[in-house]
Structure formats: structure tokens, C-alpha cells
């Protein structure tokens, strides 16, 4: 039950925000803790106003990876738990929504359509993922290098490539004597 042992009659539970007399559920507590945590640790958004898509991406990755550095211990635990516990999954839904919105904004201004747009969106989602940053960090790759590598991935996804010659068409290097 909500803790109502105060001298004045509370209007809400101090732990989870439920009405007095109503039992605090695990979901109530997770939601209250998540709201508190994400309010105390807001997602970076200074990058949103940058018009140039490449500069916006570089700034977004640098800010987001700095955020991940700052919040690593909490996000590691919550994202791990979200794989197994429904209330934890619900608690990270706002983060997932932020990342999806970020991928959409980072796509703006790129001249890509169809399959190429799909590749760019996939590369952006991968670049923005905590797991991508965490993999780099645990392998000794610093924030700026990680941001540069993932920005390169997005750029590669956005750039049309010429197809390599097929085996029936020898390339000039293959037909040259060694």
C-alpha cells in the first residue's frame, strides 16, 4: 500500500504517485523511477537545429555517446532487464521513441529514396543504439572515434555504389599480368 503515515493526509504516494490507499504496483514504481531518471538525465537535443545533415549527425552522435557514457550503468541494467521483464520494457519505451525520432530527424536533408533510404534509416538506428556505442566502448574505442566510424557507416549507406564486375566480365586488374 501507499505510505500514508504522515500527519497530513497525502494526495499522492511519495514513492510512485498513486492515490492514497491504492497499492503501488511494480509497474507504478518502474514508471515513477523511469520518469524521475529521464527527467534528471534528459536526452541530448542541441543537435536538432543544425541544418546540414552531416554536421547534424556528427553532433548528434557526439552528444548521444556522451550521454551514454554518463548513463552507462543505469542503461546497461535497464536495457538488459527490458529483454526479460515487461515493466522494464515499458520503462524504456520513451528512450526507444526518442531514438526513433532522432533517426527520422537525422534522415532529413539526405537525398535518398527507396532502398537507399531504408539502408540509411537502418544505419542510423544502428549508429544511435546504446549497444553500438557500448560495443565500441568495451573494445577501447573512444567517443570521437566511435562517432566517426558510425557516421561513416551512415555515409556509406547513403552513397550509391557501382556494382563490382561479375565473374563473366574480368576486371582490368584481374586481366593484367602480374
Amino acid at each position: 500500500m501507499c505510505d500514508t503515515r504522515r500527519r497530513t493526509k497525502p494526495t499522492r504516494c511519495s514513492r510512485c504517485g498513486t492515490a492514497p490507499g491504492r497499492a503501488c504496483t511494480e509497474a507504478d514504481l518502474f514508471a515513477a523511477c523511469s520518469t524521475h531518471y529521464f527527467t534528471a538525465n534528459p536526452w541530448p537535443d542541441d543537435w536538432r537545429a543544425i541544418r546540414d545533415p552531416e554536421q547534424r549527425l556528427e553532433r548528434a552522435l557526439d552528444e548521444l555517446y556522451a550521454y551514454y557514457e554518463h548513463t552507462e550503468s543505469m542503461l546497461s541494467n535497464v536495457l538488459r532487464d527490458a529483454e526479460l521483464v515487461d515493466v522494464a520494457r515499458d520503462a524504456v519505451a520513451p528512450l526507444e521513441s526518442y531514438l526513433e525520432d532522432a533517426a527520422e530527424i537525422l534522415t532529413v536533408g539526405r537525398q535518398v529514396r527507396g532502398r537507399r533510404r531504408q539502408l540509411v534509416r537502418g544505419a542510423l538506428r544502428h549508429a544511435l543504439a546504446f549497444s553500438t556505442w557500448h560495443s565500441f566502448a568495451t573494445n577501447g574505442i573512444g567517443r570521437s572515434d566511435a562517432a566517426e566510424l558510425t557516421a561513416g557507416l551512415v555515409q556509406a549507406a547513403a552513397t550509391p555504389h557501382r556494382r563490382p564486375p561479375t565473374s563473366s566480365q574480368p576486371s582490368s586488374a584481374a586481366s593484367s599480368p602480374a
Side-chain angles (χ1 to χ4, degrees):
M1 283 288 200
C2 174
D3 184 9
T4 58
R5 294 175 285 165
R6 296 183 187 174
R7 289 185 183 184
T8 60
K9 189 171 183 174
T11 58
R12 292 277 176 216
C13 175
S14 61
R15 286 180 283 168
C16 69
T18 60
R22 181 175 164 257
C24 293
T25 66
E26 188 178 53
D28 293 330
L29 291 172
F30 257 94
C33 288
S34 296
T35 298
H36 173 75
Y37 187 81
F38 289 132
T39 299
N41 298 282
W43 299 300
D45 65 357
D46 291 342
W47 54 268
R48 291 175 183 258
I50 299 171
R51 295 178 76 77
D52 179 79
E54 295 307 319
Q55 290 176 356
R56 186 173 55 238
L57 176 61
E58 290 170 15
R59 177 80 175 266
L61 291 172
D62 185 62
E63 289 181 15
L64 184 62
Y65 290 177
Y67 177 81
Y68 287 159
E69 287 173 358
H70 176 71
T71 60
E72 176 183 12
S73 61
M74 178 63 82
L75 288 179
S76 289
N77 292 330
V78 172
L79 292 170
R80 176 202 62 212
D81 294 348
E83 296 292 319
L84 305 169
V85 181
D86 288 340
V87 292
R89 191 172 308 118
D90 295 342
V92 297
L95 174 61
E96 292 171 351
S97 178
Y98 165 80
L99 295 174
E100 185 61 32
D101 185 49
E104 185 62 36
I105 291 168
L106 291 168
T107 305
V108 171
R110 296 181 181 278
Q111 303 302 315
V112 291
R113 295 186 330 221
R115 175 77 176 132
R116 185 72 41 206
R117 182 176 176 83
Q118 183 180 11
L119 290 172
V120 168
R121 294 272 301 163
L124 283 166
R125 285 188 194 106
H126 182 71
L128 297 173
F130 175 81
S131 59
T132 299
W133 168 82
H134 194 257
S135 176
F136 283 129
T138 58
N139 284 292
I141 298 172
R143 179 177 54 194
S144 62
D145 288 336
E148 184 180 335
L149 287 168
T150 53
L153 172 69
V154 174
Q155 182 61 36
T159 304
H161 300 285
R162 291 190 322 147
R163 297 188 186 270
T166 61
S167 59
S168 63
Q169 301 172 330
S171 67
S172 59
S175 59
S176 300

